[in-house]
Amino acid sequence: MISLKQFKYFIEIVEAGSYSRAAEKLYIAQSALSRQIKELEDELQTPLLTRDARQFELTPAGQLFFERGKRILEDIDDTLVQARHVGKGAQGVIRLQHSSSVILTPRISNALARALEVHAGVTLDVSMLPSENQTLEIEEGRADIGLVRLPTLRRHPHIQVQDIGSEKLMVAVPQHSPLAALENVDLAQLSEYAFISIPHKDRGGLSYLVANLCLELGFFPKPARALSRKSSQLNLIAAGLGIAIVPECMQLTAPPGVRFITLSHGRLLTTVGMATRREADPLVTAFATTLLAGLDAIQT
């Protein structure tokens, strides 16, 4: 039988880049480490490493075993953390992710607070990740709930996304831009301006939506010399490096020097979705249901 110790030893060797460094880090003899890897390969009936006196290389089977094995150990670590929480009286940890353009506004934060009150044993682990990555993380079991900026391009068989609200799109501009003097601007007027954010070829989300809106009017966003799809784009705008079309909520985190102009008379909207697994853990399902109810009750 393959042991968790062998998983750990193999991954440590690959990450350390040598048997000797791995042995030092693991505080075991190099010969014992080599023996464990030989037993692992014998059990799998395939070589994982090709090695000589100085170095080694991963075989295709070894590359697969490294990637999957590392994921298995991470899942075990998460399980141990959750088990400790349960042992201390908690019901579990729920991992919630949000994109950089889905700010934890008072509406979202208050709904989360209400959900935590209802589910008193839950601990919430909040992190930030692009919308497209969130759905993959949830699909592969590394996250539980995602707050994503629609649309997302990739479809995963076990993921469902529910709309939780829309908001106006606005133009964020430097305070000294000619646009800053306007109360409203039409999208077509921006064709000659440099955009801080343009779409990634493999991602959906806000920049993808904006690019498609521009294409409908016959132009593609002209890229600025400095690009960002993260919240740092507002700092680049403040420095005068370009403009961006952003959701209204971004005003909450804007640095001085950025002006927000209503876009196309407030007719252009962007939607936020909540992503979960279709058949999630009962605790995640219950928490997500309470969160949705709280968001419905708090309409901006």
Side-chain angles (χ1 to χ4, degrees), residues 99-103 169-174 194-198 206-207 210 224 226-247 250 253-258 260:
S99 79
S100 60
S101 71
V102 181
I103 293 170
L169 287 172
M170 304 188 77
V171 187
V173 304
F195 282 68
I196 291 293
S197 178
I198 60 172
L206 181 64
S207 58
V210 169
L227 299 174
S228 174
R229 297 178 187 87
K230 305 295 183 184
S231 53
S232 58
Q233 66 182 269
L234 294 177
N235 293 310
L236 298 178
I237 293 168
L241 296 175
I243 68 170
I245 296 176
V246 297
M250 296 291 280
T253 61
V258 178
F260 290 81

Side-chain angles (χ1 to χ4, degrees), residues 9 13 16-18 21 23-24 26 46-47 82 98 102 104 115 145 153 182 193 206 211 218 221 238 266 271 274 276:
Y9 284 178
I13 289 168
S18 77
R21 284 195 291 270
E24 289 175 9
L26 293 166
T46 186
Q82 294 202 31
H98 65 100
V102 181
L104 298 185
I145 298 174
L153 303 183
L182 303 177
Y193 286 87
L206 181 64
T271 302
M274 187 176 79
T276 56

Side-chain angles (χ1 to χ4, degrees), residues 77-134:
D77 286 343
D78 286 342
T79 301
L80 292 174
V81 169
Q82 294 202 31
R84 290 190 189 103
H85 280 280
V86 171
K88 294 176 181 178
Q91 295 174 12
V93 176
I94 291 179
R95 298 158 297 180
L96 181 142
Q97 297 176 336
H98 65 100
S99 79
S100 60
S101 71
V102 181
I103 293 170
L104 298 185
T105 61
R107 175 180 176 242
I108 294 175
S109 297
N110 289 335
L112 286 171
R114 290 187 184 186
L116 287 169
E117 287 178 8
V118 173
H119 303 277
V122 166
T123 299
L124 202 59
D125 181 0
V126 180
S127 59
M128 190 182 294
L129 201 67
S131 297
E132 210 72 55
N133 296 35
Q134 288 181 50

